[in-house]
Amino acid sequence: MSSSVESRQAKMIAELRVFIKKVLSDPTIAVKSVDIARKYRNEANADELMAREISANTTIRIPENWSEADKMFLEILHEVLDDEEALY
């Protein structure tokens, strides 16, 4: 594995560790994030709208230039909504 790949993976893991600590310290983050994702799910620029509102209403900060961890978080929100929809 190249050092650039290892560096990217290490950075992503560090970002995810910070994120997980925030979610564990404030359980309302998950609920708020899913509610926000649900609100914008069918919009053309849903990910951008979700990122902005999550950043504005929680301690999670998603910058304009998304990292791999930011993208993963938004993808996971979509997966949660897909799973939720499949239940009904």
Side-chain angles (χ1 to χ4, degrees):
M1 194 179 304
S2 73
S3 63
S4 65
V5 171
E6 290 172 350
S7 177
R8 278 190 20 235
Q9 287 179 339
K11 182 179 178 187
M12 183 183 214
I13 290 168
E15 287 181 40
L16 289 171
R17 287 178 57 87
V18 170
F19 173 77
I20 291 167
K21 287 188 335 187
K22 285 182 181 184
V23 170
L24 291 174
S25 66
D26 181 358
T28 65
I29 290 172
V31 174
K32 287 178 187 176
S33 295
V34 172
D35 286 343
I36 291 166
R38 201 177 286 123
K39 177 179 171 181
Y40 294 114
R41 179 179 192 158
N42 297 316
E43 299 293 325
N45 53 344
D47 287 349
E48 184 178 322
L49 295 168
M50 286 188 276
R52 285 184 189 167
E53 190 163 337
I54 289 168
S55 293
N57 292 293
T58 70
T59 58
I60 301 301
R61 299 293 170 251
I62 304 173
E64 285 185 30
N65 296 319
W66 299 340
S67 69
E68 291 300 314
D70 296 325
K71 291 175 190 174
M72 183 184 292
F73 174 58
L74 294 169
E75 288 172 12
I76 291 168
L77 284 172
H78 285 288
E79 290 173 17
V80 168
L81 295 179
D82 290 344
D83 291 349
E84 178 181 89
E85 190 174 89
L87 292 174
Y88 299 105

